[in-house]
Amino acid sequence: EQGLTNFKIISEYIIVALFVLSGILLYQNRRSFDPLVLRFLFFFLAASVVSELAFTAYVSVYAPANALGHLFKVLAFYFLYKAILETGLVKPYNLLFRSLAAREEELQVANQELERELSMRKRIETAMRKSEARFRRLADSNIIGIMFSNRDGKIRETNDYLLDLIGYNRADLQSGSLCWVEMTPPEFEELDRLAVQEAMTRGACTPYEKEFLHKDGSRIPVLTGYARIEDGDDFICFVLDLTQRKMAE
C-alpha cells in the first residue's frame, strides 16, 4: 500500500484553500443570492473542503479516509444540485423574484430622489414666478425708472417712467437705437466707467448721481445704480429723477 505523493497532498491543500476563498467571496456577496441558494452553496463548499482534506490522508482505495472523501464529494455535489439545478431550474422564481425585488427597490429609491428633485424645482419655479411678478409690478408702477442694458450702454428693455424721463418712446426702444452712454454728458463718462467696473467686480455698484441728456437736449439729474445679471455682461439699472430735489436746492 502506498499513500499520496507530496505533490498530490499539496495540490489537495491548494484546492481546499480555493474553496475557503470561494466561501469568503460568497459571504461578501451574500445579499446577491437567495437565502436558500446561499445556504446550499455554503454546504457545498463545506462538504468539498472536508472531502479534499479526507483525500490528503489517503493510503489505499479501501481506507476509511478514501471512503469518507468520496462520501463528502457526493454530498457536496448534492448540495450543488439543490442550489443551482433545483432552485435555478425547478424553482427559478426564487432567483427571478429576488432580482426583481432588488430592481424594484432601486427604482423606488431613484423615484424618490426624482420626486424630491421635481418638488425642489417646482418650489424654485414658484419662487421665481413670484419674484418676477413682484418685479414686474414695481416696473409697471412707474415709481422709478428700470432698464436692462449691456455694459456698452445699449438699452434692451425699460419701463415707461424712464422713456418719459428722457423723451423717447417705445418705438425708439424697439429700433435698438437707445444707448444710455450716448445720453450721458462727457463729464460723467469717467464716473460711469468706474461704476460699471465696480458692478463687474462686486456684482453691483454704489448708487451715484449723474445727468442724462433729454431728447430735446436738456439735462436731467438722476440717481442711478447697476446690478450685474448672473455672470454675463448685462445689467439691471434703476434711475430716479432728481429734478424736483435739485430745484428745491
Side-chain angles (χ1 to χ4, degrees):
E1 295 182 355
Q2 184 178 357
L4 299 178
T5 63
N6 289 334
F7 175 78
K8 179 63 175 176
I9 294 175
I10 293 174
S11 298
E12 295 291 351
Y13 282 123
I14 292 176
I15 294 174
V16 169
L18 292 175
F19 280 130
V20 172
L21 179 61
S22 298
I24 294 173
L25 294 176
L26 183 63
Y27 179 78
Q28 291 176 345
N29 296 276
R30 61 190 180 280
R31 294 184 179 180
S32 301
F33 293 88
D34 178 86
L36 181 61
V37 173
L38 183 66
R39 187 180 303 114
F40 281 131
L41 288 177
F42 275 127
F43 287 161
F44 161 73
L45 292 174
S48 296
V49 168
V50 174
S51 174
E52 298 301 329
L53 289 175
F55 286 143
T56 61
Y58 174 88
V59 292
S60 73
V61 293
Y62 303 107
N66 186 52
L68 184 65
H70 284 89
L71 175 62
F72 274 94
K73 182 68 70 176
V74 171
L75 191 61
F77 281 105
Y78 169 76
F79 290 137
L80 186 62
Y81 159 79
K82 296 288 289 185
I84 297 179
L85 294 179
E86 181 175 328
T87 307
L89 298 178
V90 180
K91 301 176 181 178
Y93 54 85
N94 285 352
L95 299 177
L96 177 63
F97 288 132
R98 180 174 179 82
S99 177
L100 289 177
R103 289 293 184 183
E104 183 179 0
E105 184 177 353
E106 292 176 359
L107 289 174
Q108 288 178 349
V109 172
N111 186 55
Q112 290 173 355
E113 292 179 354
L114 180 60
E115 288 179 352
R116 283 195 295 268
E117 182 177 350
L118 291 175
S119 177
M120 182 178 297
R121 287 186 178 182
K122 287 181 180 179
R123 289 196 297 268
I124 293 175
E125 290 175 357
T126 300
M128 290 180 63
R129 283 196 296 268
K130 289 182 178 179
S131 178
E132 182 179 355
R134 287 193 291 265
F135 176 78
R136 177 55 59 184
R137 185 176 180 182
L138 174 63
D140 293 343
S141 68
N142 290 318
I143 298 174
I144 61 173
I146 295 176
M147 67 175 171
F148 293 89
S149 73
N150 60 18
R151 64 182 302 176
D152 296 325
K154 183 177 181 180
I155 301 175
R156 304 183 187 279
E157 183 60 48
T158 185
N159 62 352
D160 292 336
Y161 178 101
L162 183 58
L163 289 175
D164 293 339
L165 184 64
I166 56 181
Y168 293 88
N169 55 39
R170 198 149 294 275
D172 296 319
L173 174 66
Q174 293 173 352
S175 69
S177 61
L178 297 185
C179 177
W180 61 260
V181 173
E182 298 175 359
M183 301 176 190
T184 300
E187 63 266 29
F188 293 101
E189 289 180 358
E190 179 64 15
L191 196 60
D192 284 342
R193 187 187 67 79
L194 294 175
V196 170
Q197 183 178 354
E198 182 184 6
M200 291 295 295
T201 303
R202 296 178 52 249
C205 73
T206 304
Y208 63 101
E209 294 184 14
K210 60 171 288 185
E211 292 180 350
F212 276 137
L213 293 174
H214 192 275
K215 188 176 183 179
D216 62 10
S218 61
R219 294 192 174 205
I220 306 166
V222 298
L223 176 70
T224 187
Y226 325 124
R228 188 180 180 187
I229 300 177
E230 297 180 349
D231 295 328
D233 290 338
D234 290 338
F235 295 87
I236 178 172
C237 315
F238 80 88
V239 179
L240 182 63
D241 184 11
L242 298 180
T243 303
Q244 295 297 327
R245 197 191 78 177
K246 292 295 183 180
M247 291 176 62
E249 294 175 354

